[in-house]
Amino acid sequence: MKLVYFAWVRERIGLAEETVEPPAEVRSVGDLLGWLKGRGPNYDSALAAPEVIRVAIDHEHVDHADPIGAAREVALFPPMTGG
């Protein structure tokens, strides 16, 4: 699946996007965030407070409990403020 990172998530990870193949036990958005945190210090820093990370699967906003299923693209971004 393609992962796309935005704003300070991208800055901390050091990538705008990448393609990954998570293990079979990674079934939900929350599982994915936990798995990513274990990929290194940059990921751990970016995902230190996973509850603030917003996620979209194939351009649709989802909750951390939602399954990732056969997602083609998962986007991770911080909360946005409007003005």
Side-chain angles (χ1 to χ4, degrees):
M1 82 178 53
K2 179 179 175 180
L3 299 179
V4 182
Y5 307 112
F6 292 95
W8 57 256
V9 176
R10 175 180 53 215
E11 292 169 10
R12 290 181 184 166
I13 289 175
L15 297 170
E17 63 184 52
E18 65 181 317
T19 301
V20 298
E21 204 169 313
E25 63 268 13
V26 174
R27 294 189 173 111
S28 70
V29 171
D31 293 343
L32 178 64
L33 295 176
W35 177 73
L36 286 170
K37 277 185 70 164
R39 294 188 72 209
N42 292 355
Y43 293 90
D44 188 48
S45 172
L47 304 171
E51 66 277 2
V52 303
I53 301 297
R54 303 297 179 247
V55 180
I57 294 178
D58 296 329
H59 304 274
E60 184 175 325
H61 288 256
V62 296
D63 292 322
H64 288 202
D66 287 340
I68 57 173
R72 291 183 312 256
E73 179 182 278
V74 178
L76 286 78
F77 47 94
M80 302 295 173
T81 57

